[in-house]
Amino acid sequence: MPTSPVVVWFLEPGNAATMLRTIVQLDLAGADAVVLPGGADCPEALLLAAAASRRAPRIGVVAEISPWSQPPFLTARALGTLDALTRGRAGWFVSGRDSGTVSTDDSGRWCAGTATETERQDALADYLAATAALGNSWEPDALIADVPSGRYVDADCVHVTNYHGPYFSTRGPLNAPRPPQGRAVRFAEYREGTAESDVADVLVVRCEEDIPAARASADCVLLRVAGEAAVAPPVTSADGYAFSAVSGRLIGQVLHETLPALVPAPRGGLLRDRFGLSASDFEFVPYHAEQEVSA
């Protein structure tokens, strides 16, 4: 892990101009990543992240994406594009909350709007597996761009995913090469026994007592500090802090006093490196018909 705490900022919903301005300020203050909220009450997280990719050249941009808002292919494709735009600074805040819109997969086998909580958890696990499979449809060296031979891609290194789980189906491959990080860093709120907590790279906990359990699932654990507590974060055994509900006069104080004290020098490079995460290795596992489980 880095020698100084890693810092993530959960951005409050607002208009696009205000949110972009805050992201630029966070970049200058040395925050490692900013989480852009999803939902109907704020700008679309992926579009805002793309807009921020050049205005804020160091900070990681983490888009909150609900699996109930779009099929796995669109999420995997969008995250890969964002990682390419940011040169390896993309993240995905995996959220199982309702986003205001409901999407089914292209098979039409199920709908989140009529599912039970158990089904939604099972479906979220399946969604995460489908996006991971799509992320491994291109091998790292598939893009060769050999002008003399006229070969742009090594076709043997691009794989048809043909993923078919109990809730989601997606054929693949993605229509874009493997991005700098291999896949975007996955963030989630820690909740014991949930699909997002089981696969997250970075987990956010609300109290010190949850840190040991969260460490059993994720390589990096952050303690959430909100409101006035953000001015003087408590000593913690976590790897860093997740600031939230910071608004009004507190923003300036945290940006100009608290963050510089926590992160003396702004970090750059791949987002996963800042959080002490291992590389995302390529692993293509072809789907076989006998793996199918009916919904």
Side-chain angles (χ1 to χ4, degrees), residues 144-214:
I144 53 178
D146 187 354
V147 175
S149 67
R151 296 178 68 216
Y152 182 68
V153 170
D154 184 347
D156 292 335
C157 295
V158 181
H159 305 280
V160 175
T161 305
N162 199 28
Y163 180 88
H164 192 77
Y167 293 90
F168 291 96
S169 293
T170 183
R171 184 175 185 273
L174 288 180
N175 55 349
R178 189 174 176 85
Q181 292 188 109
R183 65 165 173 79
V185 177
R186 291 182 293 218
F187 294 73
E189 191 84 33
Y190 172 69
R191 291 190 300 146
E192 186 177 2
T194 59
E196 60 266 38
S197 292
D198 289 342
V199 302
D201 303 299
V202 181
L203 280 174
V204 178
V205 299
R206 292 185 176 271
C207 61
E208 191 75 16
E209 291 72 20
D210 285 339
I211 292 175

Side-chain angles (χ1 to χ4, degrees), residues 21 60 103 234 266:
R21 186 162 52 249
S103 173

Side-chain angles (χ1 to χ4, degrees), residues 249-260:
R249 63 175 179 80
L250 292 178
I251 293 180
Q253 191 172 356
V254 176
L255 285 175
H256 299 294
E257 297 177 15
T258 307
L259 291 192

